[in-house]
Amino acid sequence: MFVMLNDGGTCKDTDYDMAMRILIQRNFIFGLLTSGVAVTLLREAEFRDSKVGWLLIMTVKSHMNEE
């Protein structure tokens, strides 16, 4: 099992509330990591369209139901 989440990014402003939000998010990530849960960041993810793969799976399923 793994969790995909946002780490809060960087704080460009000196806004105290924004800095606290980022700190809370990173504290949550730290808690997950110390519990042994794998974590991946959304900004590192590469999204791809998988419609062709889904069409292939549905085609195979329909052929299996015909037999």
PDB file of all heavy atoms in Angstrom, residues 8 13 16 18-20 29 31 41-42 45 49 53-56 58 60 66:
ATOM      1  N   GLY A   8       2.943  20.212  -0.042  1.00  0.00           N
ATOM      2  CA  GLY A   8       2.745  21.604   0.301  1.00  0.00           C
ATOM      3  C   GLY A   8       3.571  22.572  -0.519  1.00  0.00           C
ATOM      4  O   GLY A   8       3.336  23.766  -0.483  1.00  0.00           O
ATOM      5  N   ASP A  13       5.880  33.353   0.224  1.00  0.00           N
ATOM      6  CA  ASP A  13       5.489  34.507   1.031  1.00  0.00           C
ATOM      7  C   ASP A  13       5.886  34.268   2.486  1.00  0.00           C
ATOM      8  O   ASP A  13       6.195  33.160   2.890  1.00  0.00           O
ATOM      9  CB  ASP A  13       3.974  34.730   0.949  1.00  0.00           C
ATOM     10  CG  ASP A  13       3.519  35.051  -0.459  1.00  0.00           C
ATOM     11  OD1 ASP A  13       4.310  35.658  -1.196  1.00  0.00           O
ATOM     12  OD2 ASP A  13       2.385  34.687  -0.800  1.00  0.00           O
ATOM     13  N   TYR A  16       2.261  33.578   7.697  1.00  0.00           N
ATOM     14  CA  TYR A  16       2.344  32.614   8.792  1.00  0.00           C
ATOM     15  C   TYR A  16       1.377  31.454   8.588  1.00  0.00           C
ATOM     16  O   TYR A  16       1.727  30.303   8.822  1.00  0.00           O
ATOM     17  CB  TYR A  16       2.060  33.324  10.119  1.00  0.00           C
ATOM     18  CG  TYR A  16       2.096  32.405  11.306  1.00  0.00           C
ATOM     19  CD1 TYR A  16       3.307  31.971  11.829  1.00  0.00           C
ATOM     20  CD2 TYR A  16       0.917  31.961  11.897  1.00  0.00           C
ATOM     21  CE1 TYR A  16       3.338  31.126  12.924  1.00  0.00           C
ATOM     22  CE2 TYR A  16       0.937  31.118  12.976  1.00  0.00           C
ATOM     23  CZ  TYR A  16       2.153  30.701  13.496  1.00  0.00           C
ATOM     24  OH  TYR A  16       2.180  29.858  14.574  1.00  0.00           O
ATOM     25  N   MET A  18       0.119  30.192   5.790  1.00  0.00           N
ATOM     26  CA  MET A  18       0.567  29.299   4.719  1.00  0.00           C
ATOM     27  C   MET A  18       1.726  28.432   5.200  1.00  0.00           C
ATOM     28  O   MET A  18       1.773  27.232   4.909  1.00  0.00           O
ATOM     29  CB  MET A  18       0.992  30.112   3.496  1.00  0.00           C
ATOM     30  CG  MET A  18       1.429  29.253   2.321  1.00  0.00           C
ATOM     31  SD  MET A  18       0.137  28.134   1.742  1.00  0.00           S
ATOM     32  CE  MET A  18      -0.866  29.254   0.825  1.00  0.00           C
ATOM     33  N   ALA A  19       2.635  29.019   5.943  1.00  0.00           N
ATOM     34  CA  ALA A  19       3.761  28.249   6.470  1.00  0.00           C
ATOM     35  C   ALA A  19       3.273  27.164   7.423  1.00  0.00           C
ATOM     36  O   ALA A  19       3.795  26.043   7.418  1.00  0.00           O
ATOM     37  CB  ALA A  19       4.742  29.175   7.171  1.00  0.00           C
ATOM     38  N   MET A  20       2.266  27.450   8.219  1.00  0.00           N
ATOM     39  CA  MET A  20       1.717  26.450   9.142  1.00  0.00           C
ATOM     40  C   MET A  20       1.026  25.317   8.380  1.00  0.00           C
ATOM     41  O   MET A  20       1.122  24.156   8.763  1.00  0.00           O
ATOM     42  CB  MET A  20       0.744  27.096  10.125  1.00  0.00           C
ATOM     43  CG  MET A  20       1.433  27.947  11.174  1.00  0.00           C
ATOM     44  SD  MET A  20       2.700  27.050  12.102  1.00  0.00           S
ATOM     45  CE  MET A  20       1.729  25.835  12.942  1.00  0.00           C
ATOM     46  N   ILE A  29       3.042  13.708   6.512  1.00  0.00           N
ATOM     47  CA  ILE A  29       3.891  12.826   5.698  1.00  0.00           C
ATOM     48  C   ILE A  29       4.909  12.117   6.578  1.00  0.00           C
ATOM     49  O   ILE A  29       5.135  10.914   6.443  1.00  0.00           O
ATOM     50  CB  ILE A  29       4.603  13.622   4.587  1.00  0.00           C
ATOM     51  CG1 ILE A  29       3.583  14.168   3.588  1.00  0.00           C
ATOM     52  CG2 ILE A  29       5.641  12.771   3.872  1.00  0.00           C
ATOM     53  CD1 ILE A  29       4.160  15.155   2.605  1.00  0.00           C
ATOM     54  N   GLY A  31       4.652  11.396   9.714  1.00  0.00           N
ATOM     55  CA  GLY A  31       3.938  10.380  10.490  1.00  0.00           C
ATOM     56  C   GLY A  31       3.679   9.121   9.675  1.00  0.00           C
ATOM     57  O   GLY A  31       3.817   8.004  10.180  1.00  0.00           O
ATOM     58  N   LEU A  41       4.879  11.524  -4.081  1.00  0.00           N
ATOM     59  CA  LEU A  41       4.394  12.889  -4.222  1.00  0.00           C
ATOM     60  C   LEU A  41       3.687  13.087  -5.556  1.00  0.00           C
ATOM     61  O   LEU A  41       4.112  12.552  -6.581  1.00  0.00           O
ATOM     62  CB  LEU A  41       5.557  13.872  -4.105  1.00  0.00           C
ATOM     63  CG  LEU A  41       6.300  13.842  -2.780  1.00  0.00           C
ATOM     64  CD1 LEU A  41       7.459  14.825  -2.808  1.00  0.00           C
ATOM     65  CD2 LEU A  41       5.374  14.146  -1.630  1.00  0.00           C
ATOM     66  N   LEU A  42       2.628  13.867  -5.544  1.00  0.00           N
ATOM     67  CA  LEU A  42       1.861  14.126  -6.760  1.00  0.00           C
ATOM     68  C   LEU A  42       2.680  14.869  -7.807  1.00  0.00           C
ATOM     69  O   LEU A  42       2.538  14.616  -8.992  1.00  0.00           O
ATOM     70  CB  LEU A  42       0.621  14.950  -6.431  1.00  0.00           C
ATOM     71  CG  LEU A  42      -0.534  14.178  -5.824  1.00  0.00           C
ATOM     72  CD1 LEU A  42      -1.609  15.148  -5.347  1.00  0.00           C
ATOM     73  CD2 LEU A  42      -1.113  13.213  -6.824  1.00  0.00           C
ATOM     74  N   ALA A  45       4.538  12.603 -10.110  1.00  0.00           N
ATOM     75  CA  ALA A  45       3.760  11.630 -10.882  1.00  0.00           C
ATOM     76  C   ALA A  45       3.652  12.058 -12.338  1.00  0.00           C
ATOM     77  O   ALA A  45       3.589  13.242 -12.664  1.00  0.00           O
ATOM     78  CB  ALA A  45       2.366  11.474 -10.285  1.00  0.00           C
ATOM     79  N   ASP A  49      -2.785   8.643 -20.425  1.00  0.00           N
ATOM     80  CA  ASP A  49      -4.115   8.216 -20.823  1.00  0.00           C
ATOM     81  C   ASP A  49      -4.096   6.703 -21.009  1.00  0.00           C
ATOM     82  O   ASP A  49      -3.235   6.164 -21.698  1.00  0.00           O
ATOM     83  CB  ASP A  49      -4.497   8.915 -22.122  1.00  0.00           C
ATOM     84  CG  ASP A  49      -5.933   8.666 -22.492  1.00  0.00           C
ATOM     85  OD1 ASP A  49      -6.654   8.054 -21.680  1.00  0.00           O
ATOM     86  OD2 ASP A  49      -6.335   9.078 -23.583  1.00  0.00           O
ATOM     87  N   GLY A  53      -5.762   0.698 -23.207  1.00  0.00           N
ATOM     88  CA  GLY A  53      -5.661  -0.476 -22.339  1.00  0.00           C
ATOM     89  C   GLY A  53      -7.023  -0.896 -21.821  1.00  0.00           C
ATOM     90  O   GLY A  53      -7.342  -2.072 -21.749  1.00  0.00           O
ATOM     91  N   TRP A  54      -7.863   0.069 -21.469  1.00  0.00           N
ATOM     92  CA  TRP A  54      -9.199  -0.230 -20.975  1.00  0.00           C
ATOM     93  C   TRP A  54     -10.036  -0.872 -22.077  1.00  0.00           C
ATOM     94  O   TRP A  54     -10.767  -1.814 -21.827  1.00  0.00           O
ATOM     95  CB  TRP A  54      -9.853   1.056 -20.483  1.00  0.00           C
ATOM     96  CG  TRP A  54     -11.232   0.835 -19.962  1.00  0.00           C
ATOM     97  CD1 TRP A  54     -12.382   1.202 -20.556  1.00  0.00           C
ATOM     98  CD2 TRP A  54     -11.599   0.168 -18.755  1.00  0.00           C
ATOM     99  NE1 TRP A  54     -13.449   0.827 -19.800  1.00  0.00           N
ATOM    100  CE2 TRP A  54     -13.000   0.179 -18.683  1.00  0.00           C
ATOM    101  CE3 TRP A  54     -10.894  -0.441 -17.740  1.00  0.00           C
ATOM    102  CZ2 TRP A  54     -13.694  -0.391 -17.632  1.00  0.00           C
ATOM    103  CZ3 TRP A  54     -11.596  -1.004 -16.695  1.00  0.00           C
ATOM    104  CH2 TRP A  54     -12.966  -0.983 -16.636  1.00  0.00           C
ATOM    105  N   LEU A  55      -9.911  -0.401 -23.307  1.00  0.00           N
ATOM    106  CA  LEU A  55     -10.644  -0.981 -24.427  1.00  0.00           C
ATOM    107  C   LEU A  55     -10.221  -2.432 -24.637  1.00  0.00           C
ATOM    108  O   LEU A  55     -11.049  -3.303 -24.876  1.00  0.00           O
ATOM    109  CB  LEU A  55     -10.399  -0.162 -25.695  1.00  0.00           C
ATOM    110  CG  LEU A  55     -11.089  -0.651 -26.969  1.00  0.00           C
ATOM    111  CD1 LEU A  55     -12.604  -0.613 -26.799  1.00  0.00           C
ATOM    112  CD2 LEU A  55     -10.675   0.191 -28.144  1.00  0.00           C
ATOM    113  N   LEU A  56      -8.936  -2.721 -24.519  1.00  0.00           N
ATOM    114  CA  LEU A  56      -8.435  -4.081 -24.680  1.00  0.00           C
ATOM    115  C   LEU A  56      -9.000  -4.997 -23.602  1.00  0.00           C
ATOM    116  O   LEU A  56      -9.441  -6.105 -23.890  1.00  0.00           O
ATOM    117  CB  LEU A  56      -6.904  -4.086 -24.636  1.00  0.00           C
ATOM    118  CG  LEU A  56      -6.231  -5.438 -24.773  1.00  0.00           C
ATOM    119  CD1 LEU A  56      -6.523  -6.041 -26.132  1.00  0.00           C
ATOM    120  CD2 LEU A  56      -4.747  -5.303 -24.559  1.00  0.00           C
ATOM    121  N   MET A  58     -11.821  -4.619 -21.909  1.00  0.00           N
ATOM    122  CA  MET A  58     -13.248  -4.808 -22.143  1.00  0.00           C
ATOM    123  C   MET A  58     -13.495  -5.760 -23.304  1.00  0.00           C
ATOM    124  O   MET A  58     -14.432  -6.554 -23.282  1.00  0.00           O
ATOM    125  CB  MET A  58     -13.926  -3.462 -22.397  1.00  0.00           C
ATOM    126  CG  MET A  58     -13.917  -2.541 -21.194  1.00  0.00           C
ATOM    127  SD  MET A  58     -14.610  -3.294 -19.711  1.00  0.00           S
ATOM    128  CE  MET A  58     -16.311  -3.417 -20.165  1.00  0.00           C
ATOM    129  N   VAL A  60     -11.514  -8.281 -24.254  1.00  0.00           N
ATOM    130  CA  VAL A  60     -11.207  -9.634 -23.767  1.00  0.00           C
ATOM    131  C   VAL A  60     -12.338 -10.143 -22.887  1.00  0.00           C
ATOM    132  O   VAL A  60     -12.759 -11.296 -23.007  1.00  0.00           O
ATOM    133  CB  VAL A  60      -9.861  -9.643 -23.008  1.00  0.00           C
ATOM    134  CG1 VAL A  60      -9.653 -10.951 -22.282  1.00  0.00           C
ATOM    135  CG2 VAL A  60      -8.711  -9.350 -23.949  1.00  0.00           C
ATOM    136  N   GLU A  66     -18.799 -14.612 -24.139  1.00  0.00           N
ATOM    137  CA  GLU A  66     -19.454 -15.258 -25.270  1.00  0.00           C
ATOM    138  C   GLU A  66     -19.245 -16.761 -25.268  1.00  0.00           C
ATOM    139  O   GLU A  66     -20.056 -17.517 -25.782  1.00  0.00           O
ATOM    140  CB  GLU A  66     -18.948 -14.665 -26.585  1.00  0.00           C
ATOM    141  CG  GLU A  66     -19.393 -13.237 -26.823  1.00  0.00           C
ATOM    142  CD  GLU A  66     -18.784 -12.638 -28.062  1.00  0.00           C
ATOM    143  OE1 GLU A  66     -18.037 -13.338 -28.783  1.00  0.00           O
ATOM    144  OE2 GLU A  66     -19.048 -11.461 -28.339  1.00  0.00           O
TER     145      GLU A  66
END
